[in-house]
Amino acid sequence: IMIVKGTKGKPKLLMGGFEYFRNNSRGSKTYWLCARNRYMRCSARIITCSSTGELVVKNQLHNHSPH
């Protein structure tokens, strides 16, 4: 798991060959959507918590292959 800077300067989360973009932040929680959410309607999601270091995979099933 890595967080890198995307092409537009925004953070991207990389996990298992898939890319996620930051959708929302509320308190210490950050909500990430699959980068192909809009194009492929992929519903994979991850929630990270900065205060506890917790990682919650809400849906790990992608409808496409890794990048």
Side-chain angles (χ1 to χ4, degrees):
I1 299 171
M2 290 182 359
I3 296 179
V4 297
K5 192 179 285 192
T7 55
K8 296 181 181 178
K10 296 183 180 180
K12 269 194 173 180
L13 186 141
L14 304 177
M15 184 173 121
F18 293 100
E19 295 180 355
Y20 298 82
F21 68 90
R22 187 175 65 194
N23 182 46
N24 197 2
S25 293
R26 187 172 297 147
S28 62
K29 289 187 178 180
T30 304
Y31 299 84
W32 304 84
L33 297 179
C34 177
R36 294 196 177 176
N37 172 274
R38 293 185 179 127
Y39 307 110
M40 307 277 298
R41 298 196 184 271
C42 183
S43 59
R45 291 164 178 10
I46 293 177
I47 301 171
T48 57
C49 184
S50 60
S51 62
T52 63
E54 184 180 15
L55 176 88
V56 178
V57 180
K58 290 304 256 182
N59 181 4
Q60 60 184 345
L61 298 176
H62 293 266
N63 61 357
H64 57 89
S65 59
H67 296 285

